[in-house]
Amino acid sequence: MDRRDFLRAMGLTAAVSGTGALLAACHANEQSGGGALTVSSGGTLYILYDGTSQRLDPAKSQSLAITLSGLIHRRLTAWKTSADGPATVVPDLATDTGRASADGKTWTFTLKDGLKMSDGTPITSAEIKYGVERSFDPAFSGGLGYHKTLLAGGGAYTGPFKGGDLASIETPDAKTIVFHLARPYGDWPWIVSMPAFAPVPKGKGTDANYDSAPVASGPYQLESLTKGVELRLSRNPNWDPKTDVARTGLPDAVVMQLGQDTGVTAQRLLASAGNDAFAFGAAFVNPAQLAQIRTNPAAKNQLVTSESGALAYLALNTRRGPLANVKVRQAFQYAVDKTAFQIASAGSADLAGPIATTLITEGIAGREVFDLYPAPPSGDVAKAKQLLAEAGFPNGIQNLDFPVSTDNNDADKAQAIQAALQRAGIQTKLRPLDEDAWQAVVTGNDDNAYDLTLGSWQPDFPSANSNIQPLFGTSEIGNGGYNQSRYSVPDVDALIAQAQGTIDPAAAGKLWAQTDRRILQDSPVVPLIYTRNSFLHGSKVGDFEIGQFPAYPNYLQIGLAK
């Protein structure tokens, strides 16, 4: 999926304010870590967010496990992130990451002892079951919904208020919860780290007001909410840090300031006056600002940049005209100029992110590095022309329809792609569309609606499954799905199903790497770059680190210096 709408909902969108002149004197320097501050318990952490609302109802949330929702809600499992290796799944409310049956269709979890919610409600299997069941009710839609098709009977279930109990979730006792799946699924331990698996006391959350009054299981509870202005979190007195390996819970309070101008935010954080010294920006820094900020040695400990991130790619409609020919699609691998794309994306190669050659992104366990189409970063025009000739197009290809979103700087990136393709005799016509119209075209049901388009994919959880299946599974073509290349190959679908049903992570990783190679042999997309993200924080914010995955700071670990 193009993650722009998803990231907006999380407060992780790129800043677009033009305040370069005001930042020109800052001369900041990029660094890959959060500095050497010594943090301690106490203080108030401030989050400066350009959006005007946050989804605090776990049934409606699409938040990554390491962002704001994770400070309020615990789940059965959690993510452990590291700059030194891939993200790993760890126990959270559960004692382990789940025990699978021999056929991979039944998963059992045991809860830790003595867990309580902020209102004093004991956290039992019943609260987990009820929380998951709520997410099926249409009134609480919008959250991450992988579990809805994986749980047996989930497709027809309408939630606890109209549909009663979901039989595929069993609670034989207060500490045991058993999930019966419709098919084997090795990534179930990642699925239960998603927001919908947060406990909700029975009888709560019966209407939309739960978004403004959630009962907490994490280190913080909602103290106050001024819509469009601020939400304030205070300590949850019933949170026990001894049971929580994912969260440090160091600050006494967390305040998210809403509706912040991203350009002003950058100035405030660099100045670090007053409370801004204890703040960070939830939006990543845009390239125009970053190019100036990173030249300032005084700010080097306030700027943190990911090593890589979301996959940016060029999708080729495999069901459309000449692009149905695999050799034509392979020609695109050599025709593109990835360096030009980097410059168009962020002004320089190092700011944009490293060149991509695989579909599985960095920081995902099992990823293998390979390049089926070795070429200089600027491309190999002669090789592209050779493949076009072998495909029966010695004079090139004309008039390919190239819809592009007018959001962000996608038009600049598309123009860089267009110019590179033209060198090989591939002529495209750019079709600018607003974001909603573009989404309707590339995720709609008309196979003939376009020839190629730009996409960007941020996996929802740290598994190659989340890289591959949503972009290349036949089930994801049309109907709002993000298989933008309209790619449908039975043996690839079979590989995806086999990898999803493999319980052993190492064995599954090998299958996903095999699938990655198999898909790229057909060249349905051209991997372009792994997009880097940069974030600013105040001078008193420590443990502000971005792991290998995801390319965002881990809110759950941040602490403050005195």
Side-chain angles (χ1 to χ4, degrees), residues 58-60 128-169 179-180 188 196-197:
K60 297 180 179 180
I128 305 290
K129 175 179 168 70
Y130 175 67
V132 176
E133 289 175 338
R134 279 186 72 249
S135 69
F136 284 85
D137 190 295
F140 306 110
S141 62
L144 294 174
Y146 290 86
H147 60 286
K148 294 180 182 180
T149 56
L150 289 171
L151 284 165
Y157 183 59
T158 57
F161 311 116
K162 297 177 182 178
D165 286 348
L166 180 58
S168 54
I169 306 177
F179 300 96
H180 297 279
W188 190 250
F197 289 81

Side-chain angles (χ1 to χ4, degrees), residues 83-336:
D84 301 322
T88 57
V89 62
V90 295
D92 193 1
L93 294 174
T95 58
D96 57 25
T97 58
R99 302 177 300 281
S101 60
D103 64 1
K105 294 173 65 174
T106 301
W107 286 84
T108 302
F109 296 82
T110 302
L111 299 183
K112 294 172 181 174
D113 293 327
L115 300 170
K116 289 184 179 180
M117 302 196 72
S118 55
D119 66 353
T121 302
I123 299 176
T124 71
S125 55
E127 283 68 44
I128 305 290
K129 175 179 168 70
Y130 175 67
V132 176
E133 289 175 338
R134 279 186 72 249
S135 69
F136 284 85
D137 190 295
F140 306 110
S141 62
L144 294 174
Y146 290 86
H147 60 286
K148 294 180 182 180
T149 56
L150 289 171
L151 284 165
Y157 183 59
T158 57
F161 311 116
K162 297 177 182 178
D165 286 348
L166 180 58
S168 54
I169 306 177
E170 293 184 336
T171 53
D173 58 58
K175 290 186 60 180
T176 305
I177 187 164
V178 183
F179 300 96
H180 297 279
L181 309 186
R183 56 189 173 90
Y185 198 79
D187 276 333
W188 190 250
W190 289 115
I191 300 302
V192 299
S193 72
M194 293 184 178
F197 289 81
V200 177
K202 275 209 165 186
K204 300 285 187 179
T206 57
D207 56 38
N209 292 332
Y210 197 67
D211 222 2
S212 58
V215 183
S217 50
Y220 302 99
Q221 59 187 346
L222 182 64
E223 180 179 301
S224 63
L225 172 63
T226 305
K227 290 187 176 181
V229 178
E230 175 187 277
L231 64 85
R232 183 175 292 267
L233 308 181
S234 58
R235 286 198 184 277
N236 170 8
N238 289 321
W239 174 70
D240 182 356
K242 295 191 296 294
T243 69
D244 197 331
V245 298
R247 303 163 184 81
T248 57
L250 291 175
D252 286 332
V254 179
V255 175
M256 176 173 274
Q257 297 179 356
L258 305 172
Q260 302 299 300
D261 180 277
T262 52
V264 175
T265 290
Q267 299 172 59
R268 289 171 54 185
L269 292 172
L270 289 169
S272 286
N275 289 338
D276 290 341
F278 305 95
F280 72 90
F284 55 79
V285 183
N286 76 20
Q289 292 177 322
L290 183 59
Q292 299 180 57
I293 295 171
R294 70 198 297 260
T295 62
N296 182 358
K300 68 180 181 179
N301 289 328
Q302 292 176 242
L303 184 68
V304 183
T305 298
S306 65
E307 290 298 318
S308 67
L311 173 69
Y313 60 90
L314 178 67
L316 309 174
N317 187 344
T318 60
R319 297 183 174 183
R320 174 91 166 153
L323 295 177
N325 186 312
V326 66
K327 281 200 172 182
V328 170
R329 298 197 302 270
Q330 289 172 341
F332 278 75
Q333 302 284 351
Y334 296 98
V336 297

